[in-house]
Amino acid sequence: SAPWGYLVLSATTSILVLIAAEMIGASSGLGYAISFYQANFKIPAMYATILVLAVLGVSINYICNLIEKRVFKWKETLKFN
């Protein structure tokens, strides 16, 4: 189960690095869009793009959790009262 944790962590980190790289040196992509909208004072569009990124991150996390539940059925989960 430890390699799965590393895979989920690397998926999250790779998205963050991709967005940061797009902000610095790309001419397209969500990171570029955030930088472009910020520089041109299009704040509502900038926040909309950030919201899209948040939904993307939550979706990736949800999908990873679904896969984990199906693949690691034997894994015991902790339940708090």
Side-chain angles (χ1 to χ4, degrees), residues 6-63:
Y6 298 143
L7 182 67
V8 172
L9 183 62
S10 66
T12 307
T13 305
S14 66
I15 295 294
L16 293 173
V17 170
L18 174 68
I19 298 303
E22 286 179 351
M23 286 179 163
I24 294 171
S27 59
S28 64
L30 293 174
Y32 171 78
I34 291 171
S35 294
F36 176 79
Y37 293 143
Q38 179 190 14
N40 292 303
F41 300 104
K42 296 183 179 186
I43 303 304
M46 180 189 75
Y47 279 120
T49 308
I50 291 171
L51 183 63
V52 168
L53 285 174
V55 169
L56 178 65
V58 169
S59 300
I60 290 172
N61 189 29
Y62 182 75
I63 290 168

Side-chain angles (χ1 to χ4, degrees), residues 61-78:
N61 189 29
Y62 182 75
I63 290 168
C64 287
N65 285 335
L66 284 178
I67 292 171
E68 182 179 16
K69 285 180 184 178
R70 288 190 178 258
V71 174
F72 300 111
K73 290 182 181 180
W74 52 266
K75 185 179 175 184
E76 188 176 331
T77 59
L78 296 175

